[in-house]
Amino acid sequence: MRLTAIGTAGSFPGRGALASCYLIETDEDTPTRIILDLGSGALSPLQETIDTDRLSGIVLSHLHPDHCMDMTGLYVKHCFNPKYFNGDISDTGTIRTPVFAPAGAKERLFRAYYTDPGKSPVANGGDDSDFDHAFEFTDIDHGSRHQIGSLTIESFLVDHPVEAYALRITDAAGKVITYSGDSDECENLVEAAKGADLFLCEAAFQEDRDTARGIHLTGKRAGRVAQYAEASALVLTHIPAWTDCSIVRGEAAGEYRGPIELAKPGATWTV
Ligand SMILES: [Zn+2]
Ligand SMILES: [Zn+2]
């Protein structure tokens, strides 16, 4: 399977990189194509990379805006294209993309989209079931395992101020890509990345500068998790605009003995 970085900026869109979004595609005759997260601004480069109508599924690690907010844009793209929309949202014949996300995702996105509860931009009034016209929601939970095409997605509860999951994606050949989502160091994250062929891991914090715990990994802690998990390769991502990537990478290199790369928009990795 192939991983493409779409949005790699940490916590908010940065210069030259939008917020979290990653595409995973299989190389079968009928490929499975999923995205992990669709953060602020990421719908733009995503459309440069793939026809969003052809996604097999979307998996959201958690419901912070830098990981899910462009779902509101994709909702509009699915439902209100004038080619199909005739003023009645229930009859637009839209694409319904499966979405796997923490419980409450639909309500969260609905609140973000509509200006007033119960008021809709469409004539017939809106409620959160409007999002069912664009997406088919399934809750993820710790230990849950879902199949999207030929990919298996397992979710592991991690250490973040909101309900958040690391995602372990296994293809038909048994190759594994693990995505940390947002997390501090924890046993479940090590478990999620155990023996992964590629570990895409956030490193939003810097040692000796960001002292808060239970939110993000430093480069050092990301490297330590990758080493404990014996992942074959580490790709650091979600580094905010105010952080020098080389410092975070150096921290990780002090802990992890495998190859380390920094995620950049458009970069691809095949496992
Ligand atoms: Zn984040
Ligand atoms: Zn977060």
Side-chain angles (χ1 to χ4, degrees), residues 62 64 66-67 160-162 164 182 215-216 238:
H62 66 298
H64 274 151
D66 60 316
H67 295 260
H160 199 52
V162 300
D182 284 0
I215 305 173
H216 288 300
H238 197 285

Side-chain angles (χ1 to χ4, degrees), residues 16 34 66 88 102 218:
I34 66 169
D66 60 316
D88 180 0
T218 60

Side-chain angles (χ1 to χ4, degrees), residues 48-100:
E48 299 291 337
T49 311
I50 192 173
D51 175 358
T52 55
D53 289 357
R54 293 168 62 211
L55 287 172
S56 313
I58 299 169
V59 190
L60 302 178
S61 65
H62 66 298
L63 302 179
H64 274 151
D66 60 316
H67 295 260
C68 73
M69 204 42 62
D70 269 22
M71 290 290 287
T72 58
L74 190 56
Y75 162 70
V76 174
K77 186 171 183 288
H78 277 184
C79 283
F80 300 116
N81 185 331
K83 258 199 303 198
Y84 315 113
F85 185 64
N86 59 9
D88 180 0
I89 194 173
S90 65
D91 188 30
T92 50
T94 56
I95 313 294
R96 278 186 89 218
T97 306
V99 177
F100 298 82

Side-chain angles (χ1 to χ4, degrees), residues 187-270:
E187 278 181 20
N188 284 352
L189 184 56
V190 175
E191 196 57 37
K194 205 87 196 163
D197 296 283
L198 189 150
F199 181 28
L200 175 66
C201 186
E202 72 116 304
F205 278 0
Q206 195 178 306
E207 288 288 316
D208 303 324
R209 184 193 70 182
D210 305 303
T211 55
R213 295 305 305 260
I215 305 173
H216 288 300
L217 293 155
T218 60
K220 180 176 180 166
R221 297 200 290 268
R224 198 156 56 201
V225 170
Q227 187 60 39
Y228 286 158
E230 299 180 330
S232 298
L234 173 62
V235 177
L236 297 173
T237 193
H238 197 285
I239 299 171
W242 53 60
T243 296
D244 181 341
C245 295
S246 65
I247 292 175
V248 174
R249 191 184 199 283
E251 287 181 13
E255 299 290 327
Y256 177 62
R257 290 194 287 275
I260 302 173
E261 285 186 62
L262 293 167
K264 292 269 186 293
T268 63
W269 299 266
T270 301

Side-chain angles (χ1 to χ4, degrees), residues 97-253:
T97 306
V99 177
F100 298 82
K106 183 168 69 173
E107 294 76 10
R108 171 86 169 91
L109 295 168
F110 174 76
R111 283 206 313 279
Y113 180 71
Y114 286 88
T115 50
D116 296 300
K119 290 187 180 173
S120 168
V122 296
N124 61 343
D127 61 61
D128 65 17
S129 66
D130 285 355
F131 271 73
D132 294 330
H133 295 289
F135 307 117
E136 189 180 338
F137 287 90
T138 300
D139 291 349
I140 60 172
D141 207 342
H142 178 63
S144 67
R145 179 190 289 253
H146 295 284
Q147 196 71 27
I148 307 177
S150 61
L151 297 174
T152 305
I153 290 87
E154 294 170 88
S155 40
F156 296 75
L157 188 67
V158 289
D159 189 12
H160 199 52
V162 300
E163 182 182 347
Y165 295 94
L167 303 167
R168 181 182 175 94
I169 293 92
T170 307
D171 72 6
K175 294 289 185 182
V176 173
I177 292 174
T178 294
Y179 168 49
S180 64
D182 284 0
S183 176
D184 201 344
E185 190 173 5
C186 62
E187 278 181 20
N188 284 352
L189 184 56
V190 175
E191 196 57 37
K194 205 87 196 163
D197 296 283
L198 189 150
F199 181 28
L200 175 66
C201 186
E202 72 116 304
F205 278 0
Q206 195 178 306
E207 288 288 316
D208 303 324
R209 184 193 70 182
D210 305 303
T211 55
R213 295 305 305 260
I215 305 173
H216 288 300
L217 293 155
T218 60
K220 180 176 180 166
R221 297 200 290 268
R224 198 156 56 201
V225 170
Q227 187 60 39
Y228 286 158
E230 299 180 330
S232 298
L234 173 62
V235 177
L236 297 173
T237 193
H238 197 285
I239 299 171
W242 53 60
T243 296
D244 181 341
C245 295
S246 65
I247 292 175
V248 174
R249 191 184 199 283
E251 287 181 13

